[in-house]
């Protein structure tokens, strides 16, 4: 019952935040974020379980965006997205590190924060593009590819964090093993998905049951997110890749 009440309070707060944002002629997402911060701070402990639903919503959002894309469409602007995103990450990280160091932060803390500043929120930007109906435009596809590169760049960033926390030990071997594991997991999701998902989708489509297709799609999104999360990769990225795989099988 607590989770139901918690969900009720969150939905009501989201409605109020979205309405106020529209009145102020701001994107509704701004209102959702603001009230989300407020609700997260004041929500009673017995209702905190509902906050876990936010991760599910993020997974399903990225999955739905992935379904609308394909590897062919992403590859159109692959070079622009890769080089642009990498240059942007390096420049922002360096500038942020210099500024944070100038304010007296320790080198390790400044590096971690500067890496965080160098990447964007995929969920926020994709939601804004979807609200504007711009995901199918040239700049929309470039931005989505750019964000995908940023998500992938987070993996080596996370691998590098143990180096900041320890001055000894075989951190190099652990970092290399983690990098190989991440690459293998992503390739496994793509390759196995291209082999298994088309057969599964076509088999379920033969039943003429939309409910089965919907349930299978949700299961695929959550399952892929769980697998990638288990191996230390963003579950939202895993759900996005699952959506792209499904779009390839259509």
């Amino acid at each position: 019952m607590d989770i139901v009440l918690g969900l009720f309070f969150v939905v009501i707060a989201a409605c109020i935040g979205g309405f106020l944002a529209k009145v102020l002629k701001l994107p509704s997402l701004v209102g959702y974020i603001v009230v989300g911060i407020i609700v997260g701070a004041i929500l009673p402990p017995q209702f905190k379980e509902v906050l876990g639903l936010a991760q599910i919503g993020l997974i399903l959002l990225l999955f739905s965006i992935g379904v609308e894309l394909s590897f062919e469409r992403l590859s159109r602007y692959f070079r622009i997205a890769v080089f642009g995103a990498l240059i942007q990450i390096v420049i922002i990280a360096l500038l942020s590190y210099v500024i944070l160091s100038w304010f007296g932060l320790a080198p390790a803390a400044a590096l971690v924060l500067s890496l965080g500043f160098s990447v964007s929120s995929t969920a926020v930007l994709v939601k804004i593009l979807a609200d504007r109906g711009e995901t199918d435009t040239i700049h929309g596809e470039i931005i989505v590819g750019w964000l995908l590169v940023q998500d992938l760049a987070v993996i080596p960033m996370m691998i590098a964090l143990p180096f900041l926390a320890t001055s000894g030990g075989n951190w190099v071997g652990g970092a290399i093993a983690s990098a190989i594991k991440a690459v293998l997991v992503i390739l496994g999701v793509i390759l196995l998905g291209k082999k298994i998902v088309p057969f599964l989708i076509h088999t379920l489509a033969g039943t003429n049951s939309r409910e089965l297709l919907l349930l299978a799609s949700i299961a695929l999104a959550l399952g892929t997110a769980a697998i990638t999360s288990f191996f230390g990769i963003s579950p939202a990225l895993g759900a996005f890749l699952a959506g792209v795989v499904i779009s390839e099988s259509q």
Side-chain angles (χ1 to χ4, degrees):
M1 189 61 183
D2 287 343
I3 192 172
V4 176
L5 288 176
L7 184 59
F8 170 74
F9 292 140
V10 169
V11 172
I12 291 297
C15 290
I16 296 174
F19 175 76
L20 293 177
K22 289 298 184 182
V23 170
L24 297 174
K25 300 187 183 302
L26 297 173
S28 57
L29 191 60
V30 174
Y32 299 151
I33 293 175
V34 173
V35 299
I37 295 174
I38 296 174
V39 170
I42 65 175
L43 200 65
Q46 65 267 28
F47 298 147
K48 289 291 185 178
E49 293 182 3
V50 74
L51 299 180
L53 296 176
Q55 184 68 24
I56 298 178
L58 176 60
I59 289 172
L60 295 179
L61 171 63
L62 270 295
F63 175 75
S64 65
I65 297 299
V67 170
E68 298 178 1
L69 297 174
S70 65
F71 290 115
E72 180 181 356
R73 289 177 58 186
L74 289 174
S75 64
R76 295 178 190 173
Y77 311 105
F78 179 77
R79 189 171 301 176
I80 298 175
V82 170
F83 287 104
L86 292 179
I87 292 173
Q88 173 253 309
I89 290 172
V90 171
I91 292 176
I92 298 300
L94 288 176
L95 288 176
S96 300
Y97 182 81
V98 171
I99 294 173
L100 292 172
S101 298
W102 184 71
F103 278 102
L105 265 72
L111 180 57
V112 171
L113 289 175
S114 62
L115 290 176
F117 292 150
S118 67
V119 294
S120 309
S121 173
T122 302
V124 172
L125 293 179
V126 167
K127 180 65 168 61
I128 292 175
L129 287 174
D131 289 344
R132 295 180 176 180
E134 297 178 357
T135 53
D136 294 330
T137 61
I138 294 177
H139 66 273
E141 293 183 357
I142 293 176
I143 291 175
V144 171
W146 196 299
L147 294 171
L148 181 58
V149 173
Q150 287 188 344
D151 282 342
L152 293 174
V154 172
I155 298 173
M157 292 179 187
M158 296 299 295
I159 293 173
L161 288 181
F163 170 70
L164 301 177
T166 179
S167 57
N170 187 22
W171 67 268
V172 176
I176 294 175
S178 299
I180 294 175
K181 180 174 63 175
V183 172
L184 291 177
V185 169
I186 293 175
L187 291 178
V189 169
I190 296 174
L191 294 178
L192 291 178
K194 291 176 73 69
K195 296 294 184 181
I196 298 175
V197 172
F199 172 77
L200 177 63
I201 295 298
H202 293 148
T203 300
L204 293 177
T207 64
N208 293 321
S209 174
R210 294 184 178 181
E211 291 81 4
L212 286 177
L213 282 174
L214 177 61
L215 290 174
S217 298
I218 295 176
L220 178 63
L222 297 178
T224 307
I227 292 173
T228 54
S229 177
F230 178 78
F231 287 99
I233 303 174
S234 168
L237 176 59
F240 177 82
L241 291 176
V244 174
V245 168
I246 283 186
S247 72
E248 291 287 328
S249 66
Q250 293 175 351

